Amino acid sequence: ANMPILMQSLRRFGTVRQTEQGIILSLNETLWAGVRDGNFAANADAKLSDLGNVLANNADYRLKIEAHTDNRGTPEELQSLTQTRAQA
């Protein structure tokens, strides 16, 4: 697979950058139902389906899914939110 082509095709889903760990895609916050919500927005299905297709067409890449949030809230609340988002 050609990494620059993959990076270019991922840009429509969020911010893309290359690191020593590989390609990092940070999804746009607009995909979520709200700033502190662990559910996707109602209109996110088509975009997520398109992202799934891009990833399926580059099956030789390994995926690592992480979620991050700001520091507002208790450590338990923040852990719960990031876990919920990563699982989604």
Side-chain angles (χ1 to χ4, degrees):
N2 189 331
M3 194 172 296
I5 292 172
L6 176 60
M7 288 182 67
Q8 187 174 5
S9 63
L10 290 174
R11 283 198 174 96
R12 64 187 168 141
F13 303 105
T15 305
V16 181
R17 61 191 167 92
Q18 175 69 47
T19 71
E20 290 179 6
Q21 295 176 332
I23 298 170
I24 295 179
L25 166 63
S26 299
L27 296 177
N28 290 328
E29 190 67 33
T30 57
L31 288 175
W32 300 102
V35 175
R36 310 295 291 177
D37 202 312
N39 296 307
F40 286 110
N43 63 350
D45 284 353
K47 195 152 224 161
L48 293 170
S49 182
D50 288 347
L51 175 57
N53 289 333
V54 169
L55 297 175
N57 289 325
N58 290 279
D60 50 332
Y61 284 93
R62 292 182 313 162
L63 300 176
K64 179 180 178 183
I65 298 175
E66 296 178 347
H68 302 276
T69 186
D70 58 27
N71 62 355
R72 289 182 295 136
T74 67
E76 294 79 16
E77 290 170 332
L78 298 174
Q79 180 61 38
S80 176
L81 177 59
T82 57
Q83 184 97 18
T84 299
R85 283 187 164 194
Q87 288 174 341

